Amino acid sequence: NAGVTQTPKFQVLKTGQSMTLQCAQDMNHEYMSWYRQDPGMGLRLIHYSVGAGITDQGEVPNGYNVSRSTTEDFPLRLLSAAPSQTSVYFCASSYPGGWETQYFGPGTRLLVL
Amino acid sequence: AQSVTQLGSHVSVSEGALVLLRCNYSSSVPPYLFWYVQYPNQGLQLLLKYTSAATLVKGINGFEAEFKKSETSFHLTKPSAHMSDAAEYFCAVTRGGKLIFGQGTELSVKP
């Protein structure tokens, strides 16, 4: 199993540009989440999904969109990037009801100029 | 609302010394508590978790944590630090079925 994979590893954007961060898992996990990690703030939940076709907002959803058309994939879209979205983004997956034991991807480092 | 507070954003110990990373939680109901570790340029991995069974929880790499309800604490310890333990450690609690992370503690290990 590849586990949770994320692409790209690193991206530089200009303010106002859009992009999609990709996340895929091959463990047949129903639950998937997106977090952002900023110094001194831990990880904050952006959006999450409990299954294909079902998504919900987390703690910091503004400026981000998600969709879940398949169990395997959970892309995160930035429609109009802002410098405040400079961060490291992590995707995670877990079994139903198993929010605790989340499996994390390696992260995407995003710089918005 | 459940939350966690990690005391100390940076802890430095000598190789072979005791590691103690502090985590306090606030919760109106018995929580599930977790410690995750993040090595440089990697994602997080689960170190150990408390789910209301034994109060002393053993994890990977020789780490353990004790749930103390009276102190609302879930501190992480390791008797003897190794250079490979240098990483960032996150305490987390479940809230509404989701994980809420603390701010993180960076552990440095000096030779």
Side-chain angles (χ1 to χ4, degrees), chain B residues 47-62:
Chain B
L47 204 53
L48 51 80
K49 64 180 179 181
Y50 167 76
T51 56
S52 75
T55 56
L56 182 63
V57 183
K58 294 188 185 298
I60 60 173
N61 301 336

Side-chain angles (χ1 to χ4, degrees), chain B residues 16-91:
Chain B
L18 171 71
V19 175
L20 171 60
L21 304 182
R22 300 177 187 273
C23 173
N24 287 89
Y25 69 91
S26 62
S27 174
S28 56
V29 296
Y32 285 4
L33 291 158
F34 313 88
W35 278 99
Y36 278 82
V37 60
Q38 183 181 30
Y39 298 104
N41 299 313
Q42 294 186 27
L44 279 71
Q45 67 180 88
L46 182 67
L47 204 53
L48 51 80
K49 64 180 179 181
Y50 167 76
T51 56
S52 75
T55 56
L56 182 63
V57 183
K58 294 188 185 298
I60 60 173
N61 301 336
F63 284 92
E64 62 183 34
E66 186 172 7
F67 173 71
K68 291 187 176 180
K69 185 177 179 181
S70 61
E71 299 177 8
T72 61
S73 68
F74 191 57
H75 301 331
L76 182 70
T77 60
K78 182 174 181 178
S80 176
H82 192 273
M83 296 296 291
S84 61
D85 294 327
E88 189 155 19
Y89 293 80
F90 293 92
C91 185

Side-chain angles (χ1 to χ4, degrees), chain A residues 35-92:
Chain A
Y35 295 88
R36 60 177 290 173
Q37 182 180 23
D38 302 291
M41 303 189 75
L43 276 78
R44 292 179 292 169
L45 183 65
I46 304 172
H47 284 286
Y48 65 99
S49 169
V50 298
I54 306 169
T55 64
D56 205 347
Q57 295 181 350
E59 185 183 356
V60 288
N62 292 342
Y64 307 96
N65 280 352
V66 292
S67 59
R68 184 98 180 269
S69 56
T70 67
T71 299
E72 294 77 21
D73 300 298
F74 191 43
L76 178 72
R77 279 182 285 276
L78 283 70
L79 297 179
S80 178
S84 60
Q85 294 179 304
T86 293
S87 188
V88 182
Y89 292 85
F90 288 99
C91 180

Side-chain angles (χ1 to χ4, degrees), chain A residues 15-57:
Chain A
T15 297
Q17 286 185 315
S18 63
M19 80 161 294
T20 299
L21 281 64
Q22 301 292 345
C23 174
Q25 52 90 11
D26 61 358
M27 297 173 282
N28 204 30
H29 286 168
E30 291 291 328
Y31 287 14
M32 296 186 75
S33 308
W34 274 104
Y35 295 88
R36 60 177 290 173
Q37 182 180 23
D38 302 291
M41 303 189 75
L43 276 78
R44 292 179 292 169
L45 183 65
I46 304 172
H47 284 286
Y48 65 99
S49 169
V50 298
I54 306 169
T55 64
D56 205 347
Q57 295 181 350

